[in-house]
Amino acid sequence: MNSFRKIELVYLKPKPKRLSKGLIWGLLFIVVMTGLGCKKEEVNSDAAEYYVKYELDSSTSYPAGQLNVVLSAENNQDKNFVIGARSPWELVVGPVKKGFNAKLVVARGEPLDDPFYFKNPLILHSQISVSKNGSPYVLKKTEMSDITRSSAQVNYTIDY
């Protein structure tokens, strides 16, 4: 007797779609959870370093005029300079801390032997810019009057 048995072969299909979807969702979950767990570093504004840029420009008809400049330096000490009129001038001081009082005072220099020295009109433009932690300078205070005068002053206290 020959009996043939019928053997049914069950073909198991691999489930790559289910496996790949699960893998993708699992990786996505890990990435999202890792990103949410990261904290940005907060910069303590009291520990920030600031740089102060003083700028001055003047115009006068007197070619040999001089200006006396007084400004606040790093240790809140005043620095004195004598500069030529009719030419742009700038100086950067720092690092300084929050609360620093930046001050720029400009006055016509000592009279020369010319009796018309003080009669020549003088126009002064001054400004203070601040940089925080190496960022670009931001204009904070300006004195740009076109009225003729013999002195000008601009102040700014760092508060950001």
Side-chain angles (χ1 to χ4, degrees):
M1 285 199 112
N2 260 348
S3 69
F4 291 101
R5 284 189 179 177
K6 188 176 183 185
I7 300 176
E8 287 188 31
L9 295 174
V10 177
Y11 182 71
L12 296 174
K13 293 182 180 179
K15 300 184 181 182
K17 289 183 180 177
R18 190 177 304 169
L19 181 63
S20 65
K21 282 184 183 178
L23 185 62
I24 290 171
W25 281 108
L27 288 174
L28 184 62
F29 177 76
I30 290 171
V31 169
V32 168
M33 293 309 288
T34 303
L36 292 177
C38 293
K39 292 183 181 177
K40 291 183 179 179
E41 276 188 44
E42 292 184 19
V43 176
N44 183 358
S45 63
D46 292 337
E49 287 188 336
Y50 299 89
Y51 287 86
V52 178
K53 180 167 52 170
Y54 299 100
E55 296 176 82
L56 174 65
D57 196 9
S58 63
S59 65
T60 180
S61 59
Y62 194 82
Q66 292 184 339
L67 300 174
N68 292 328
V69 179
V70 179
L71 56 85
S72 300
E74 290 87 352
N75 298 324
N76 284 327
Q77 296 175 343
D78 288 345
K79 283 191 176 182
N80 298 310
F81 299 92
V82 177
I83 63 170
R86 298 174 48 168
S87 60
W89 179 85
E90 71 177 44
L91 182 75
V92 175
V93 298
V96 296
K97 300 291 181 193
K98 182 177 180 179
F100 176 78
N101 184 27
K103 174 182 70 173
L104 176 63
V105 179
V106 184
R108 189 183 295 265
E110 292 294 317
L112 302 174
D113 292 334
D114 186 350
F116 299 105
Y117 179 66
F118 281 111
K119 293 181 181 179
N120 287 305
L122 175 65
I123 297 175
L124 299 168
H125 294 164
S126 57
Q127 61 186 33
I128 295 176
S129 302
V130 177
S131 168
K132 180 180 180 182
N133 293 330
S135 64
Y137 283 95
V138 176
L139 181 62
K140 292 297 184 176
K141 198 74 171 190
T142 184
E143 171 52 66
M144 296 290 196
S145 175
D146 284 334
I147 297 173
T148 58
R149 55 200 166 154
S150 61
S151 66
Q153 180 173 341
V154 61
N155 296 309
Y156 176 72
T157 301
I158 297 174
D159 63 352
Y160 73 101

